[in-house]
Amino acid sequence: MNIRIKDIKAEGLSFEFHEDWENFPALVRFGEADQCEFLTPVRIQGRAIHVGRMIEIEGRIETSAALTCSRCLNRVERPLESRFAVTFFQDAGEEPEDEEEEVELAAEDLSLIPFHGEEIDLREPVQEQVIMALPIQVLCREDCKGICPQCGADLNEEECGCSPAVFNPKFAALKKIKVEKKD
Ligand SMILES: [Zn+2]
Ligand SMILES: [Zn+2]
């Protein structure tokens, strides 16, 4: 997933990588935390171009992941797609200390990424982008009925026959607060 600077000609460089998700440490950590499981290699497609002393990269990332429905907890497979644009700048690493600090701050603000040497590594920005593309909440289907809060049955598959809760504990809590205020 490295791009050699000397391969980026004046007209730019088109690239395409297929990388196993196991090669992205941040994605592996996600998998271990059991938040999701990536299913296909990550496909990264894009273009790199020189802009002054910087290198601008624009591209598209595609993969797919198995997530958990937030209502019924069943497995949901989803394609993930994300566009990204990052700018790399050659970090000479020779600035005096205080000036170096300033450069680092600016880099964070503008999402500039320093690189050293002959190559730039896309691993960091790509894994960041994949994680950002993950939906915070996912439903197996729009009208997922979820799980019965009383018996735990998957209501998409069966009607469990539990009587619906007649009493909302949220309202009870509110009532209590009001009473306490009067006192
Ligand atoms: Zn569901
Ligand atoms: Zn039930």
Side-chain angles (χ1 to χ4, degrees):
M1 237 176 316
N2 286 7
I3 294 177
R4 283 192 302 178
I5 305 305
K6 67 173 182 190
D7 290 342
I8 308 172
K9 307 294 181 206
E11 72 277 10
L13 171 76
S14 294
F15 59 83
E16 180 165 347
F17 298 105
H18 295 250
E19 189 78 22
D20 282 338
W21 66 269
E22 286 93 339
N23 294 334
F24 295 92
L27 302 189
V28 171
R29 279 199 296 277
F30 247 73
E32 280 166 359
D34 216 9
Q35 294 179 60
C36 77
E37 175 194 343
F38 294 92
L39 302 171
T40 48
V42 183
R43 180 164 173 253
I44 307 131
Q45 232 187 335
R47 265 185 90 69
I49 193 157
H50 286 283
V51 177
R53 285 186 61 214
M54 307 209 251
I55 290 166
E56 280 187 7
I57 294 182
E58 259 183 38
R60 232 166 69 132
I61 300 167
E62 286 168 87
T63 184
S64 59
L67 305 154
T68 303
C69 172
S70 49
R71 276 188 206 150
C72 70
L73 309 182
N74 281 323
R75 180 185 161 99
V76 192
E77 294 186 5
R78 280 291 149 82
L80 298 174
E81 201 193 303
S82 177
R83 300 203 140 270
F84 73 103
V86 283
T87 305
F88 287 85
F89 70 93
Q90 183 113 41
D91 187 1
E94 287 161 6
E95 294 96 330
E97 288 263 311
D98 52 339
E99 212 176 300
E100 203 172 305
E101 231 167 75
E102 246 171 60
V103 171
E104 268 171 32
L105 275 180
E108 235 173 82
D109 285 349
L110 304 166
S111 72
L112 290 173
I113 304 172
F115 73 93
H116 308 271
E118 303 295 301
E119 293 187 338
I120 49 186
D121 185 1
L122 289 179
R123 196 172 310 267
E124 272 300 318
V126 165
Q127 65 183 6
E128 228 171 72
Q129 209 65 36
V130 171
I131 288 169
M132 282 199 295
L134 289 167
I136 293 163
Q137 267 207 333
V138 65
L139 294 178
C140 59
R141 56 188 218 214
E142 261 324 296
D143 62 345
C144 171
K145 296 194 188 91
I147 285 174
C148 169
Q150 291 170 67
C151 72
D154 182 345
L155 299 176
N156 297 311
E157 286 179 6
E158 52 178 321
E159 282 192 26
C160 59
C162 293
S163 49
V166 284
F167 159 88
N168 189 333
K170 261 190 201 163
F171 281 111
L174 280 176
K175 256 190 194 167
K176 205 180 168 197
I177 289 167
K178 273 185 189 162
V179 170
E180 277 167 4
K181 272 187 181 170
K182 270 182 197 166
D183 290 343

